[in-house]
């Protein structure tokens, strides 16, 4: 089983009331997001995540600001999409240059393993997300139960790697070679409905790694990826999450990571 560390993860059910059977996946995402925003206090610098779950947290923060229940919040967006959403909702924004320490970040994840290691970046914002969330005192991850996996890559969906455009196919091939024993297929991400490469907010490309088997030690895997010239960053967030909030049909569960 792949591992990056051996943290103590404690779990508590904060609401085990039966939920309506007709709740959609988006409803569950909203439940998790609203629970996470309870961690936000007035005066905080807050990292604003990106994606279909995080957008609910951003909207909820804006709502509480309008109601006067939160004050003096400064948001640090993790993508141009989140920046645009926050501006439209009137959330005051800044960046890591002005606020190098973030009190709390809230974001979704594409996969979460039992040690609270994550896969993020299937939306293409992994570099900025990792910069902001890595600078955070507390990082609350919000997911619905479909994102829980036994090991990183276990969903069969992509583990993304951001790469520079120069000779990107060369880099793609090197990445595939690294994890050949795990049955890796590395594919350059293309724009929906076309053949042109998808471009990140930083002007880079993304290579998606599809794994048939567990890649093993995650810290070692991370180091191997980052040593490759042409690689900017990968979408494994190892040992960064401090709290996980999972919304499922049976209720909302909070897991805290120590160590």
């Amino acid at each position: 089983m792949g591992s990056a560390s051996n943290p103590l993860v404690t779990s508590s059910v904060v609401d085990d009331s039966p939920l309506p059977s007709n709740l959609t996946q988006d409803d569950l995402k909203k439940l998790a997001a609203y629970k996470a925003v309870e961690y936000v206090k007035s005066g905080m610098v807050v990292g604003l995540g990106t994606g279909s779950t995080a957008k609910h947290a951003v909207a909820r923060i804006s709502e509480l600001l309008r109601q006067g229940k939160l004050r003096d919040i400064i948001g640090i967006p993790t993508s141009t999409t989140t920046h645009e959403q926050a501006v439209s909702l009137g959330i005051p924004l800044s960046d890591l240059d002005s606020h190098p320490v973030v009190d709390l970040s809230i974001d979704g994840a594409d996969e979460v393993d039992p040690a609270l290691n994550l896969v993020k970046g299937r939306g293409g914002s992994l570099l900025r997300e990792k910069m902001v969330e890595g600078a955070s005192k507390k990082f609350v991850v919000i997911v619905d139960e479909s994102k829980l996996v036994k090991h990183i890559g276990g969903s069969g969906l992509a583990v993304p790697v951001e790469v520079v455009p120069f000779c990107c196919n060369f880099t793609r091939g090197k990445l595939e070679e690294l994890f050949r024993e795990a049955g890796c297929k590395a594919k350059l991400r293309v724009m929906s409905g076309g053949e042109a490469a998808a471009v990140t907010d930083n002007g880079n490309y993304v290579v998606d790694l599809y794994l048939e088997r567990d890649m093993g030690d995650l810290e070692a895997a991370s180091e191997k990826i980052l040593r490759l010239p042409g690689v900017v960053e990968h979408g494994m967030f190892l040992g960064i999450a401090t709290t996980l909030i999972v919304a499922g049909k049976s209720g909302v569960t909070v897991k805290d990571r120590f160590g």
Side-chain angles (χ1 to χ4, degrees), residues 111-113 143-150 244 246 255:
E111 291 184 359
V112 185
D113 78 3
V143 297
D144 66 88
E145 59 191 355
S146 71
K147 303 302 174 63
L148 303 180
V149 296
K150 292 182 179 180
L244 172 68
V246 183
K255 297 184 178 182

Side-chain angles (χ1 to χ4, degrees), residues 4-245:
S5 56
N6 187 27
L8 172 63
V9 177
T10 63
S11 179
S12 60
V13 178
V14 297
D15 185 358
D16 59 359
S17 304
L19 297 175
S21 60
N22 62 344
L23 284 181
T24 66
Q25 187 178 34
D26 193 59
D27 292 330
L28 294 176
K29 292 177 179 181
K30 184 179 288 188
L31 281 174
Y34 277 39
K35 180 63 183 177
V37 173
E38 294 178 12
Y39 289 84
V40 179
K41 307 301 179 187
S42 293
M44 278 188 168
V45 177
V46 181
L48 305 177
T50 296
S52 60
T53 307
K55 70 179 183 181
H56 293 303
V58 176
R60 179 61 172 165
I61 289 170
S62 171
E63 180 182 6
L64 294 176
L65 284 168
R66 290 196 306 272
Q67 294 172 354
K69 295 178 180 179
L70 285 177
R71 300 178 183 277
D72 303 319
I73 295 295
I74 296 175
I76 311 291
T78 56
S79 67
T80 56
T81 299
T82 300
H83 184 279
E84 291 167 359
Q85 181 194 10
V87 167
S88 72
L89 294 174
I91 299 175
L93 299 178
S94 188
D95 56 34
L96 290 178
D97 287 338
S98 300
H99 295 87
V101 178
V102 179
D103 294 304
L104 168 72
S105 284
I106 300 173
D107 205 352
D110 300 308
E111 291 184 359
V112 185
D113 78 3
L116 304 196
N117 297 309
L118 318 173
V119 171
K120 291 178 51 55
R122 289 180 186 153
S125 302
L126 64 95
L127 176 59
R128 297 190 187 190
E129 288 172 335
K130 190 172 284 190
M131 289 178 69
V132 173
E133 289 148 14
S136 301
K137 296 177 183 177
K138 187 174 182 67
F139 175 27
V140 179
V141 179
I142 47 178
V143 297
D144 66 88
E145 59 191 355
S146 71
K147 303 302 174 63
L148 303 180
V149 296
K150 292 182 179 180
H151 61 83
I152 291 300
S155 69
L157 300 177
V159 177
V161 181
E162 187 161 342
V163 303
V164 297
F166 176 74
C167 293
C168 59
N169 192 53
F170 169 82
T171 307
R172 182 207 61 77
K174 290 294 186 181
L175 286 165
E176 188 168 280
E177 286 177 17
L178 282 181
F179 302 107
R180 192 171 300 281
E181 291 186 0
C184 178
K185 297 295 183 185
K187 298 180 180 180
L188 181 68
R189 186 179 298 180
V190 297
M191 296 177 64
S192 178
E195 296 182 359
V199 180
T200 71
D201 288 345
N202 314 297
N204 295 314
Y205 293 170
V206 176
V207 172
D208 288 321
L209 308 183
Y210 296 90
L211 303 162
E212 294 180 357
R213 295 177 289 280
D214 189 345
M215 68 172 65
D217 185 286
L218 297 179
E219 292 288 359
S222 170
E223 186 176 346
K224 287 195 292 186
I225 293 171
L226 294 175
R227 277 205 306 260
L228 279 179
V231 166
V232 178
E233 188 53 88
H234 60 69
M236 295 187 295
F237 285 51
L238 309 179
I240 296 176
T242 56
T243 298
L244 172 68
I245 299 176

